[in-house]
């Protein structure tokens, strides 16, 4: 988003009242008293050689030993022979392999291991004005097996000269032929003389590319107050480093990198490591890299370019390499390592117009880094850690080692108007990406099927940020943000295991979902609860230390935790990561105790025998209460078989899955669920906050899947009407909204349900009011926001009138001070929903030029809230012609949430599918649009029409998301058919009676 904030004239520094600007360097404005590791030093004519710099910067690199790889035969298909041609381009629109292709067509998806890269000297020249980049890469190779062919990854690049030097052959060879496999994005270079086994070699390749706005590879972005600033950055995960330079683009093939960036003198260069030199090119001189001299001497203005060299990295996978160039400014802080006492500089970069909103993210980074070092007992290994905030970014953020990148919405926060949810989002995102510096960066999964090993960061990140903001109750918040989302997706027949085969790039892109992230974090949280947090983290530390600068697989993590606990971790955990789905535990009360039985839980109802074969190992976490009211928790109790009897006194309170740490649902009888609700509602309840959240979530998940009645879930909510905790009310609100969204085409049910919602939430609004004070408890702030949103969504005239009045004042005066940051989202939406063209135009202006990213998101979503289909058409036209690619799904979400425009959105997407397919080729955008455009539909006709539309389409890039979306439509339709009468009767019976 563009910003209205005035550009900074000075760089702000933590703990420094003033700062002296000394000049523009490789890292932005150089500031006095900054560590030389972080600041570019301007050197004169001569430099140490690149190899010399490498050995000086990280002498320990040569001692690293990589995991050996067994050679495998490769059969190359779809080859395009281009013998001796210079500029061999691999088209961006090349054909792709289907995610569901047969195994025989996928068996060659890994690169051959005849040679292995050990080091890259990478030079990149960037011309932002012409949207072009060029460069040369010299790659040191170790020859594992005699070969005369070099096979690596390359895509969308024009490749120039290719040469191979080997001391063993004492010559430099030029490639005798070159071929390109467009399906697997590979270049195959043949040489006349074979490289002998165990030899060392150096491959040199020059290349050219276009700086596009595709948000992957090396791409361009724009920012600034009026969008006048242009800059470039990289986004390589998962398989886009090959779009920036030829490389072995697989996580297992780690190597060290020495990056050199050549750019305009008035720009800033950034990379993973600190700059060790920067100088303006002197036309009369020569550079140590001949390619630079040749390139710059051919330009009309060679003296207007500078050369920035960066320290060599530790061994790192290609997807974590990063660099950027542009007019960046920064804020700076530092932290002191609790392990070594070393002080490291920390910076956050952005364009001048928004840099003032980056302080909070920088503060989070400063606070969590020492905590991670203490938790893992491993010091952060790089000399610095930067964050770069950009306007165009496909995902939320990216954990590039030493240079975190991400969109403005996840890192910027206006301290004067930010809402509490956004503040929490920024903190969690920054903390999560910092955790990746250990999980994923120090230790990296061998292949994408073990992507979840990187996501130990999500689990550990929650544990860490809890220490910084205990009032946020993030362990319980985890249930809303991760646990329930993962369960919703894993309850589908179209789910996939956490550890899933990834035979091609299409499949790799699709596994970045709630299963690889949220389910993985949830089952690791379950394991941590069972073995104890301290022992779990000790095991994680053992795992990281054993595999530092190496790659890992599932068994490596289990071995680390086994070493710390003495438990058979694989026996407990393998089915959780290697099998899809999760169980529902059915509790049957019998004389002298309870019988518990596990079966796979599906959102469509009890599983067929063929889908119900997995037996999970379940920590039952049985909470019992004696006659004195004392609660006892049995954490040692496991269910390792289909069914088991547990002796206990059923006349006293009990509950399975205490604290909702187990990744499963629990089905009680209707009578027992009612008793649990009553016990949960008491002031001295033995059930924790997470227990109460879990009760609500389980009740609705089970009712949706026909295990229990929807009325039993609604009765549970009625019992909890005096609840004080925000997160319980959030669970209630989420599930009531889901019911309304499912029955969106039944006005009678929606209005009856809205009356129930008003009875629940309007009293809370009246108690807490609309004003926010700094002294308000965190829970009151969040509960007030949720109550206002629910009351407004349910059509309460008093709440809607108040929100409209505040927006009307903003329209008249231009002063938005009467709209609290926490109510911006609902205020904008109600204003457009209840208003007309003026209100829509007002939020459109904000969407185009918001004062903060969170305000911009609110405006984008609100543009889809109008009941006027003409304005819906205008919104969709804006999406297609003016909205940033990264932001379009915010507008789509607004149209989907609006019942009037929900089917309009689905139809418009189908009409313009080819445009979206082209617009989001290669990134995650198309998957988001599929889920948003169709996931709100709720009829059999919708299912059939959606399936028919995609029947003749190439769905290989979003096949998984499409199947999951179709499952969603089908399950919603089944719920409507099954429960409409029951739901209507329960709501009508309540009538307008007050609780």
């Amino acid at each position: 988003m563009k910003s209205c904030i005035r550009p900074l004239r000075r760089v702000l520094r933590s703990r420094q009242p003033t700062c002296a600007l000394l000049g523009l360097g490789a890292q932005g404005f150089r500031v006095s008293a900054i560590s030389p590791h972080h600041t570019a030093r301007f050197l004169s004519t001569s430099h140490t050689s690149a190899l010399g710099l490498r050995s000086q910067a990280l002498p320990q690199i040569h001692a690293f030993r990589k995991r050996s790889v067994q050679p495998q035969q490769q059969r190359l298909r779809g080859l395009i022979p281009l013998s001796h041609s210079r500029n061999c381009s691999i088209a961006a629109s090349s054909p792709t392999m289907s995610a569901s292709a047969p195994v025989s067509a996928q068996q060659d998806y890994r690169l051959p291991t005849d040679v292995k890269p050990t080091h890259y000297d990478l030079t990149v020249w960037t011309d932002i004005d012409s949207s072009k980049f060029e460069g040369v890469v010299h790659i040191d190779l170790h020859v594992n097996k005699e070969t005369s062919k070099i096979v690596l990854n390359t895509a969308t690049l024009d490749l120039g000269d290719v040469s191979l030097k080997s001391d063993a052959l004492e010559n430099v060879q030029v490639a005798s032929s070159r071929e390109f496999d467009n399906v697997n994005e590979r270049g195959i270079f043949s040489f006349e003389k074979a490289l002998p086994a165990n030899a060392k070699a150096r491959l040199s390749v020059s290349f050219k590319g276009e700086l596009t706005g595709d948000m992957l590879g090396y791409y361009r972005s724009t920012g600034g107050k009026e969008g006048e600033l242009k800059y470039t950055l990289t986004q390589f995960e998962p398989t886009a480093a090959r779009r920036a330079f030829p490389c072995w683009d697989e996580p297992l093939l780690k190597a060290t990198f020495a990056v050199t960036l050549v750019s305009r003198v008035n720009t800033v260069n950034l990379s993973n490591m600190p700059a060790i030199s920067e100088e303006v090119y002197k036309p009369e001189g020569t550079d140590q890299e001949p390619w630079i001299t040749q390139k710059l001497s051919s330009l009309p203005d060679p003296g207007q370019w500078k050369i920035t060299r960066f320290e060599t990295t530790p061994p790192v996978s290609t997807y974590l390499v990063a660099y950027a160039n542009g007019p960046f400014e920064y804020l700076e802080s530092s932290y002191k390592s609790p392990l070594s006492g070393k002080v490291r500089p920390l910076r956050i970069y952005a364009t001048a117009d928004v840099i003032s909103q980056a302080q909070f993210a920088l503060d989070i980074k400063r606070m969590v880094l020492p905590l991670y070092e203490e938790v893992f007992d491993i010091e952060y290994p790089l000399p610095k850690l930067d964050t770069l905030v950009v306007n165009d970014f496909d995902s939320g953020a990216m954990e590039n080692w030493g240079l975190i990148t991400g969109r403005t919405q996840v890192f910027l926060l206006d301290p004067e108007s930010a809402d509490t949810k956004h503040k929490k989002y920024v903190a969690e995102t920054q903390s999560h990406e910092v955790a990746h510096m250990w999980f994923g960066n120090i230790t990296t999964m061998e292949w994408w099927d073990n992507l979840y090993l990187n996501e130990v960061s999500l689990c550990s990140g929650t544990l860490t940020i809890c220490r910084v903001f205990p009032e946020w109750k993030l362990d319980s918040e985890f249930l809303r943000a991760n646990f329930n989302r993962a369960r919703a997706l894993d309850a589908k027949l179209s789910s996939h295991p956490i550890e899933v085969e990834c035979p091609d790039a299409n499949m790799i892109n699709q596994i970045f979902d709630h299963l690889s992230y949220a389910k993985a974090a949830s089952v690791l949280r379950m394991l941590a609860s069972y073995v104890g947090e301290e022992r779990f983290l000790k095991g994680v530390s053992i795992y990281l230390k054993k595999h530092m600068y190496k790659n890992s697989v599932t068994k490596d993590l289990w071995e680390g935790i086994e070493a710390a606990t003495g438990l058979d971790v694989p026996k407990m955990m393998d089915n959780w990561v290697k099998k899809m789905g999760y169980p529902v535990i059915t509790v049957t009360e019998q004389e002298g105790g309870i019988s518990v039985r596990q079966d796979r839980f599906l959102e469509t109802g009890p599983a067929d025998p063929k889908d119900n074969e997995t037996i999970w190992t379940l920590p039952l976490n049985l909470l019992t209460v004696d006659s004195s009211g004392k609660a006892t928790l049995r954490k040692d109790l496991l269910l390792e078989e289909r069914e088991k009897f547990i002796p206990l006194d059923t006349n006293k309170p009990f509950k399975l899955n205490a604290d909702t740490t187990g990744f499963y649902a629990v089905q009680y009888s209707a009578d027992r669920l009612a008793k649990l609700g009553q016990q949960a509602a008491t002031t001295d309840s033995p059930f924790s906050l997470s227990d109460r959240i879990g009760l609500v979530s389980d009740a609705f998940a089970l009712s949706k899947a026909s295990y229990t009645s929807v009325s039993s879930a609604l009765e549970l909510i009625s019992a909890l009407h005096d609840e004080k905790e925000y997160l319980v009310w959030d669970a209630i609100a989420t599930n009531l909204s889901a019911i309304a969204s499912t029955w969106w085409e039944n006005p009678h049910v929606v209005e009856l349900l809205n009356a129930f919602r008003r009875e629940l939430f309007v009293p809370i609004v009246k108690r807490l009011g609309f004003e926010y004070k700094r002294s308000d408890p965190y829970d009151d702030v969040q509960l007030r926001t949720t109550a206002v949103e629910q009351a407004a969504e349910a059509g309460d005239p008093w709440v809607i009138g108040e929100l409209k009045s505040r927006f009307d004042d903003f329209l008249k005066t231009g002063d938005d001070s009467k709209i609290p940051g926490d109510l911006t989202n609902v205020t904008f939406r109600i204003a457009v929903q209840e208003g007309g063209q003026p209100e829509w135009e007002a939020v459109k202006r904000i969407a185009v030029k918001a004062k903060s990213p969170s305000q911009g998101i609110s405006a984008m979503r609100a543009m889809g809230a109008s009941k006027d289909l003409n304005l819906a058409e205008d919104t969709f036209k804006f999406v297609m012609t003016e909205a940033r690619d990264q932001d379009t799904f915010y507008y789509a979400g607004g149209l989907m949430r609006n019942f009037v425009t929900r089917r309009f959105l689905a139809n418009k997407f189908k009409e313009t599918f080819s445009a979206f397919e082209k617009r989001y080729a290669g990134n995650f955008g198309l998957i988001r649009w599929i889920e948003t455009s169709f996931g709100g539909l709720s009829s059999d006709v919708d299912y059939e029409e959606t399936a028919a539309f995609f029947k003749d389409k190439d769905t290989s890039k979003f096949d998984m998301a499409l199947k999951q979306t179709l499952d969603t439509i089908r399950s919603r339709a089944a719920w409507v058919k099954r429960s409409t009468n029951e739901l209507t009767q329960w709501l009508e019976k309540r009538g307008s009676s007050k609780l």
Side-chain angles (χ1 to χ4, degrees), residues 511-662:
I511 65 167
F512 287 79
D513 61 11
H514 289 314
L515 299 174
S516 297
Y517 283 72
K519 181 183 178 181
S522 296
V523 299
L524 290 171
R525 173 177 173 265
M526 177 175 64
L527 177 60
S529 172
Y530 178 67
V531 305
E533 181 181 315
E534 184 176 341
R535 293 203 298 171
F536 174 79
L537 292 174
K538 176 64 176 176
V540 165
S541 177
I542 292 171
Y543 157 74
L544 288 172
K545 289 176 179 177
K546 186 175 180 180
H547 300 280
M548 285 186 69
Y549 306 108
K550 300 176 184 177
N551 297 84
S552 64
V553 294
T554 293
K555 70 178 182 64
D556 298 321
L557 178 59
W558 297 163
E559 287 173 358
I561 299 173
E562 275 187 313
T565 63
L567 299 173
D568 188 348
V569 177
K571 180 182 178 182
M572 176 179 175
M573 297 302 297
D574 274 353
N575 276 354
W576 287 107
V577 300
K578 297 180 185 297
K579 303 287 186 180
M580 70 173 70
Y582 64 93
V584 53
I585 297 179
T586 303
V587 180
T588 304
E589 298 184 28
Q590 301 174 359
E591 185 176 350
I594 58 174
S595 172
V596 293
R597 175 188 168 91
Q598 62 165 298
D599 295 280
R600 183 179 175 187
F601 177 83
L602 291 172
E603 65 178 359
T604 50
D608 293 335
K610 64 181 176 62
D611 299 317
N612 190 30
E613 297 176 350
T614 304
I615 300 293
W616 289 271
T617 298
L618 306 173
L620 290 175
N621 276 9
L622 175 61
L623 180 73
T624 57
V625 181
D626 63 21
S627 54
S628 68
K630 180 182 178 182
T632 302
L633 176 61
R634 288 191 59 186
K635 299 192 72 170
D636 61 323
L637 195 60
L638 293 175
L639 179 61
E640 302 174 276
E641 54 272 299
R642 177 69 71 185
E643 195 165 358
K644 182 176 187 175
F645 180 80
I646 303 173
L648 61 82
D649 185 354
T650 57
N651 293 316
K652 296 183 175 61
F654 72 91
K655 181 184 180 295
L656 292 172
N657 201 12
D659 285 328
T660 318
T661 55

Side-chain angles (χ1 to χ4, degrees), residues 402-464:
L403 180 58
I404 295 168
T405 50
R407 56 171 64 194
T408 56
Q409 291 96 331
V410 304
F411 285 132
L412 297 185
L413 183 142
D414 182 353
E416 298 302 319
S417 63
D419 62 281
T420 307
K421 285 184 179 179
H422 188 68
K423 181 178 181 181
K424 184 165 56 180
Y425 183 42
V426 171
E428 290 175 334
T429 302
Q430 182 68 283
S431 177
H432 175 77
E433 302 307 325
V434 172
H436 272 305
M437 300 300 109
W438 285 263
F439 294 98
N441 297 12
I442 285 180
T443 303
T444 311
M445 74 275 164
E446 281 195 2
W447 185 247
W448 298 102
D449 55 356
N450 281 156
L451 172 65
Y452 83 96
L453 289 175
N454 289 10
E455 297 317 315
V456 181
S457 61
L458 187 56
C459 182
S460 59
T462 299
L463 295 174
T464 302

Side-chain angles (χ1 to χ4, degrees), residues 319-565:
Y319 80 90
L320 294 167
V321 174
Y323 42 89
N325 170 246
F328 307 126
E329 295 189 10
Y330 67 81
L331 309 178
E332 183 170 71
S333 184
S334 64
Y335 86 99
K336 184 177 181 180
S337 169
L339 301 183
S340 70
K342 183 176 181 179
V343 176
R344 283 183 178 83
L346 306 172
R347 288 182 178 177
I348 189 163
Y349 287 84
T351 51
D353 55 307
V354 295
I355 190 65
S356 62
Q357 298 184 36
Q359 185 65 50
F360 181 68
L362 179 63
D363 290 341
I364 294 296
K365 185 163 58 176
R366 172 180 53 80
M367 288 187 281
V368 300
L369 262 163
L371 294 178
Y372 284 127
E373 289 194 3
E374 290 176 335
V375 165
F376 304 135
D377 193 33
I378 299 173
E379 187 172 357
Y380 173 68
L382 301 191
K384 57 93 175 177
L385 180 55
D386 295 333
T387 300
L388 174 62
V389 186
V390 299
N391 292 80
D392 298 287
F393 203 78
D394 185 29
S395 57
M398 178 62 203
E399 68 270 17
N400 309 301
W401 213 358
L403 180 58
I404 295 168
T405 50
R407 56 171 64 194
T408 56
Q409 291 96 331
V410 304
F411 285 132
L412 297 185
L413 183 142
D414 182 353
E416 298 302 319
S417 63
D419 62 281
T420 307
K421 285 184 179 179
H422 188 68
K423 181 178 181 181
K424 184 165 56 180
Y425 183 42
V426 171
E428 290 175 334
T429 302
Q430 182 68 283
S431 177
H432 175 77
E433 302 307 325
V434 172
H436 272 305
M437 300 300 109
W438 285 263
F439 294 98
N441 297 12
I442 285 180
T443 303
T444 311
M445 74 275 164
E446 281 195 2
W447 185 247
W448 298 102
D449 55 356
N450 281 156
L451 172 65
Y452 83 96
L453 289 175
N454 289 10
E455 297 317 315
V456 181
S457 61
L458 187 56
C459 182
S460 59
T462 299
L463 295 174
T464 302
I465 204 71
C466 277
R467 302 183 186 186
V468 179
F469 297 104
E471 70 275 16
W472 289 358
K473 304 172 185 175
L474 286 180
D475 185 59
S476 296
E477 167 79 14
F478 181 92
L479 299 175
R480 180 195 66 81
N482 298 288
F483 182 92
N484 290 330
R485 291 178 180 178
R487 284 204 339 193
L489 188 53
D490 207 24
K492 301 178 187 298
L493 281 170
S494 54
S495 177
H496 67 78
I498 293 173
E499 187 176 297
V500 59
E501 185 178 358
C502 296
D504 61 26
N506 288 336
M507 187 62 175
I508 293 169
N509 280 325
Q510 294 185 66
I511 65 167
F512 287 79
D513 61 11
H514 289 314
L515 299 174
S516 297
Y517 283 72
K519 181 183 178 181
S522 296
V523 299
L524 290 171
R525 173 177 173 265
M526 177 175 64
L527 177 60
S529 172
Y530 178 67
V531 305
E533 181 181 315
E534 184 176 341
R535 293 203 298 171
F536 174 79
L537 292 174
K538 176 64 176 176
V540 165
S541 177
I542 292 171
Y543 157 74
L544 288 172
K545 289 176 179 177
K546 186 175 180 180
H547 300 280
M548 285 186 69
Y549 306 108
K550 300 176 184 177
N551 297 84
S552 64
V553 294
T554 293
K555 70 178 182 64
D556 298 321
L557 178 59
W558 297 163
E559 287 173 358
I561 299 173
E562 275 187 313
T565 63

